[in-house]
Amino acid sequence: MDLSTIIIQVVGYQDSGKTTLVEKIITHFSTVGLKVGSIKHHGHGGRPQALDENKDSYRHRQAGAAVTSVEGDGTLQLHIQKEKWNIEDILNLYAPMNLDIIVIEGFKQAPYPKIVLLRKKEDLELLNRLSNIIAVLTWFHCDELNQLQYPVYMVNSDCIIDWLNCFVRDQK
């Protein structure tokens, strides 16, 4: 992977708002002229559907991603079959595309900078199991969130995009 490509992960449990956030990130950075790619982990089991209209990968493309892919049950939706795909293999496929930013939705255990979405208080345990957390988006208020060492934003706030602008600028 090109050292100048910025990789950002968006992780959280199902229905936490990951795809909506990924869409916002892709839309914002592609609108300001950056070449953005996305990678989605199909975490529901089974292979992704070949026709993806109104699915997350379709939404990523509609938001402006130059490259998208979906992985699930060993299938990377570039019609490449392999026993199992790991995130490094997929990133290696993206390397020649000279992307400015790659937004990864899912792949919780990958070692890249993560924005974690918390839908309910029980999801706080995720913060103890993940590495490289850079920010949290939450649907709720609680005292535990005040103790975190990284920025915390409410899901309906656009502050995360302002913060990401600074993060991306600092990475360049």
Side-chain angles (χ1 to χ4, degrees), residues 118 124 127 136 143-152:
L118 303 174
L124 282 166
L127 300 178
V136 171
D143 290 337
E144 288 96 317
L145 294 171
N146 297 331
Q147 313 302 319
L148 298 177
Q149 54 201 334
Y150 24 78
V152 177

Side-chain angles (χ1 to χ4, degrees), residues 78-143:
L78 292 171
H79 302 286
I80 301 170
Q81 186 64 39
K82 183 177 169 175
E83 175 103 8
K84 179 172 173 46
W85 285 92
N86 64 49
I87 192 65
E88 301 306 324
D89 293 335
I90 299 168
L91 286 169
N92 285 333
L93 287 173
Y94 278 50
M97 297 176 199
N98 298 316
L99 300 168
D100 297 304
I101 298 174
I102 297 175
V103 184
I104 301 171
E105 182 178 334
F107 291 94
K108 288 182 187 81
Q109 299 310 314
Y112 301 102
K114 291 175 186 59
I115 299 170
V116 180
L117 282 105
L118 303 174
R119 177 89 182 174
K120 52 191 179 214
K121 194 170 182 178
E122 295 78 38
D123 296 348
L124 282 166
E125 57 83 22
L126 200 52
L127 300 178
N128 296 322
R129 297 185 332 166
L130 298 176
S131 65
N132 214 359
I133 298 170
I134 57 171
V136 171
L137 256 65
T138 180
W139 291 76
F140 58 90
H141 293 283
C142 75
D143 290 337

Side-chain angles (χ1 to χ4, degrees), residues 8 25 29 115 159-169:
I8 301 167
I25 294 169
F29 286 114
I115 299 170
C159 293
I160 189 66
I161 298 298
D162 294 335
W163 181 85
L164 274 171
N165 276 327
C166 295
F167 178 81
V168 167
R169 185 188 64 235

Side-chain angles (χ1 to χ4, degrees), residues 49-93:
Q49 295 178 353
L51 300 173
D52 71 346
E53 189 170 326
N54 297 321
K55 298 291 182 190
D56 295 343
S57 56
Y58 176 80
R59 291 170 62 185
H60 293 181
R61 281 195 306 280
Q62 293 300 104
V67 178
T68 66
S69 65
V70 179
E71 188 282 331
D73 200 24
T75 299
L76 179 66
Q77 197 158 8
L78 292 171
H79 302 286
I80 301 170
Q81 186 64 39
K82 183 177 169 175
E83 175 103 8
K84 179 172 173 46
W85 285 92
N86 64 49
I87 192 65
E88 301 306 324
D89 293 335
I90 299 168
L91 286 169
N92 285 333
L93 287 173

